Amino acid sequence: MKQNIIRKGRLAEFDEKALRFTSSIAADAWFFRYDVLVDLAHVAMLKRQSIIEQTTFEVLTKALLKINEEGYVKLPRDVDDVHVAIETALTERAGSAHAGWLHVGRSRNDEVATCIRMALRHDLLVLMNAVLALQDTLLELSASNAATIMPGFTHLQHAQPTSLGHHLLAHCDALERDLERLANSYERTNQSPLGAAAFASTGWPLDRDFVASALGFDGIVENSMDAVSTRDFAIEALSAASNVMITLSRLAEELILWSTSEFGYVEIDDEFASTSSIMPQKKNPDTLELIRAKTGSVIGDFTASVVICKALPFSYNLDLQEITPHLQQAIATTIDCARIANAVLETISINKQRLAEMSAVGFTTATELADTIARTAHVPFRTAHTIVGDLARVGACDLDAIDKVGLRHLGKQLSQLGLTADDVTEALDVNRNVAKRDIAGGPAASQLKRMLKARRRRHKVRQQRLLLRQTALQAAEKGLLTASGA
């Protein structure tokens, strides 16, 4: 094992078991590229501040660009982390006289915090794009199913008729709030801790704002102790990812139920289903089941990270190292699940006839019948509610039953209340039920059309903002690499 360039002044070499136990080199692959960019920006700032000479700047940037080109796989593995691995490789290429200047005014504490933020902000943008694509599909399905009547549920029991478009738009709106949380998380992630050093900053005349701008950050985490100590940005991102997964899990669960023989509302495409090794007739929604299961994994990553941070004293503690794999895994899993959910919906088959047949089952029009009695007879709603509940109890829950049973059981009450057969017929019509729900947010076609228009307008704005963020980061990276001679 090579001598550790950091330990050689103060400590003897690590015990191999201790090195394996403490090393993060495997997990650090996530932000290798960003670590090189951080090094390039730091070196450029050192030259700009006349801390290093032009020759050292040129030697270091050339070596760093070569390390970046060769990739993570070429780095030494018998070290604490990727930062030491890069500095070790840099020393071999550039020599200690030049490489020894790399770490001026910098600690691994602010370095790793910066790298994590850069890797996370990239993945947050990828995740937001995946959620936006899923929203696109939901909006299209909602628009094309505005007139597809189906039963709505409470307590998983038939409740009132609605439209499939209205139902799917509810999932789209939940994802919109998820996107807002992700966007807010991105803003707090995109702040640079670099220059905070170990926690008390440095006596070297560093330009923190220059480095932050070169790396595409919106600003700096000003207090140097806070800059290296906090992982609240990671916890916030994990929380936002958990919310996305909960939304996806609810969507997956409904599609799983709807694809069963008992429901028969939808059929999952063969590409996203599996069969049984023993039962040849089976078509199992495995991809959706895994979304449901992976939600638990992401929530577990969030929970683990919260507990790791609980009661940690300021400033840096190695406990924080344990958060990184949870963060990387959770965001990657959420991206995969959003993409799979979108692919399933893009290829799903909808049984509109079955949805229509089931829309009135379970006396879903009972609420409108009670409303009709209250409106027509001018009786309190609770009285009307009791009358219709009595109908449900004796089984007079549709037009045929009311014709046969209800006229005997309820006829006198209805006639005394002034209701006609046409009033009852209209109240029990599922399509008219939906059409009457014409207030803000209701399932009526006019409301759904208005909501879809507003959602598409907002969706376009969010796509444009996301593109601006991506473009800004790409421009910052291109400018840094160009300035470094790439």
Side-chain angles (χ1 to χ4, degrees):
M1 185 168 63
K2 293 179 182 178
Q3 187 179 34
N4 188 301
I5 60 174
I6 294 177
R7 295 178 64 88
K8 63 183 180 180
R10 172 66 176 83
L11 300 173
E13 287 305 305
F14 236 163
D15 175 83
E16 289 190 14
K17 295 186 293 297
L19 178 61
R20 285 195 301 272
F21 183 71
T22 60
S23 177
S24 64
I25 189 68
D28 291 349
W30 183 37
F31 50 73
F32 159 74
R33 186 169 70 88
Y34 302 109
D35 200 304
V36 175
L37 292 174
V38 166
D39 287 346
L40 288 170
H42 183 67
V43 168
M45 183 272 296
L46 293 178
K47 185 199 74 169
R48 188 170 183 268
Q49 296 298 101
S50 301
I51 296 172
I52 62 173
E53 297 178 354
Q54 178 69 24
T55 301
T56 297
F57 165 76
E58 292 174 358
V59 170
L60 291 180
T61 52
K62 182 178 179 181
L64 285 167
L65 290 171
K66 188 63 177 178
I67 289 169
N68 185 55
E69 180 185 328
E70 291 179 349
Y72 174 79
V73 293
K74 293 288 187 179
L75 292 179
R77 290 289 183 273
D78 53 346
V79 291
D80 303 32
D81 52 43
V82 70
H83 320 295
V84 177
I86 289 174
E87 190 173 347
T88 300
L90 185 68
T91 302
E92 291 177 354
R93 286 185 171 278
S96 58
H98 294 298
W101 285 98
L102 175 67
H103 219 60
V104 166
R106 194 178 70 178
S107 165
R108 281 185 295 177
N109 297 355
D110 62 333
E111 184 179 4
V112 68
T114 306
C115 293
I116 292 170
R117 285 171 181 266
M118 292 178 70
L120 176 58
R121 73 183 182 186
H122 171 271
D123 285 7
L124 284 173
L125 292 177
V126 174
L127 176 54
M128 284 189 272
N129 269 316
V131 174
L132 280 168
L134 175 56
Q135 277 193 310
D136 266 334
T137 301
L138 283 167
L139 287 170
E140 290 304 312
L141 283 173
S142 180
S144 61
N145 286 280
T148 303
I149 304 300
M150 67 173 291
F153 297 84
T154 64
H155 305 278
L156 209 56
Q157 305 292 318
H158 284 215
Q160 290 178 282
T162 186
S163 71
L164 180 59
H166 185 252
H167 193 126
L168 293 174
L169 191 61
H171 286 290
C172 187
D173 283 359
L175 287 169
E176 179 62 24
R177 292 189 296 278
D178 291 331
L179 277 169
E180 288 175 3
R181 282 184 279 266
L182 289 169
N184 289 336
S185 173
Y186 180 91
E187 289 178 5
R188 277 179 281 278
T189 296
N190 201 33
Q191 303 292 321
S192 172
L194 208 62
F199 76 90
S201 74
T202 176
W204 293 92
L206 305 187
D207 187 340
R208 294 188 65 192
D209 291 322
F210 170 82
V211 175
S213 177
L215 292 172
F217 286 104
D218 295 330
I220 65 172
V221 184
E222 188 172 29
N223 185 289
S224 59
M225 183 174 286
D226 180 41
V228 300
S229 302
T230 184
R231 289 298 182 272
D232 57 2
F233 69 92
I235 290 173
E236 185 176 11
L238 284 162
S239 174
S242 296
N243 269 297
V244 173
M245 288 301 298
I246 290 168
T247 303
L248 295 178
S249 183
R250 297 183 74 184
L251 174 62
E253 172 65 7
E254 288 192 337
L255 295 177
I256 290 167
L257 285 172
W258 292 358
S259 67
T260 63
S261 300
E262 285 75 14
F263 281 81
Y265 295 174
V266 300
E267 183 177 357
I268 308 301
D269 192 85
D270 288 358
E271 290 183 311
F272 302 100
S274 70
T275 190
S276 167
S277 62
I278 188 173
M279 297 171 284
Q281 87 284 6
K282 293 297 297 297
K283 185 173 185 180
N284 302 323
D286 282 11
T287 51
L288 295 170
E289 290 171 351
L290 279 176
I291 290 175
R292 195 171 57 185
K294 288 177 183 291
T295 299
S297 298
V298 172
I299 293 171
D301 289 322
F302 167 63
T303 304
S305 298
V306 169
V307 175
I308 289 168
C309 286
K310 181 193 71 66
L312 274 184
F314 275 50
S315 57
Y316 185 83
N317 300 273
L318 198 58
D319 309 51
L320 296 176
Q321 178 176 288
E322 283 295 294
I323 293 175
T324 304
H326 289 298
L327 181 61
Q328 192 273 335
Q329 175 180 286
I331 303 300
T333 297
T334 308
I335 291 168
D336 286 344
C337 288
R339 287 171 171 169
I340 286 293
N342 185 40
V344 169
L345 283 174
E346 284 180 325
T347 56
I348 204 165
S349 298
I350 298 169
N351 189 338
K352 296 185 179 183
Q353 182 179 345
R354 174 67 172 172
L355 287 166
E357 290 170 355
M358 297 302 292
S359 62
V361 172
F363 203 4
T364 59
T365 55
T367 302
E368 182 54 36
L369 181 57
D371 286 340
T372 298
I373 293 172
R375 280 193 301 263
T376 304
H378 301 289
V379 300
F381 175 77
R382 188 57 61 210
T383 300
H385 183 280
T386 301
I387 292 170
V388 178
D390 197 27
L391 270 177
R393 182 173 58 82
V394 300
C397 300
D398 55 38
L399 278 173
D400 289 339
I402 286 177
D403 285 343
K404 296 171 184 176
V405 180
L407 290 180
R408 293 197 304 272
H409 183 78
L410 189 66
K412 291 182 179 179
Q413 291 186 62
L414 290 179
S415 61
Q416 289 170 357
L417 293 170
L419 265 73
T420 66
D422 287 343
D423 292 330
V424 175
T425 299
E426 181 175 337
L428 297 178
D429 184 286
V430 291
N431 288 286
R432 291 183 180 181
N433 264 247
V434 173
K436 285 183 178 181
R437 269 62 186 168
D438 195 16
I439 65 170
S446 58
Q447 286 298 320
L448 192 58
K449 182 179 180 180
R450 179 191 61 77
M451 288 190 285
L452 283 167
K453 184 178 180 180
R455 302 308 184 271
R456 283 172 170 148
R457 185 167 56 247
R458 193 164 61 199
H459 191 70
K460 186 175 182 180
V461 170
R462 195 171 289 284
Q463 286 176 318
Q464 290 170 341
R465 288 176 180 170
L466 191 57
L467 181 60
L468 286 174
R469 284 186 174 124
Q470 291 172 313
T471 302
L473 293 187
Q474 290 166 358
E477 182 172 334
K478 183 179 179 181
L480 178 58
L481 290 172
T482 300
S484 300

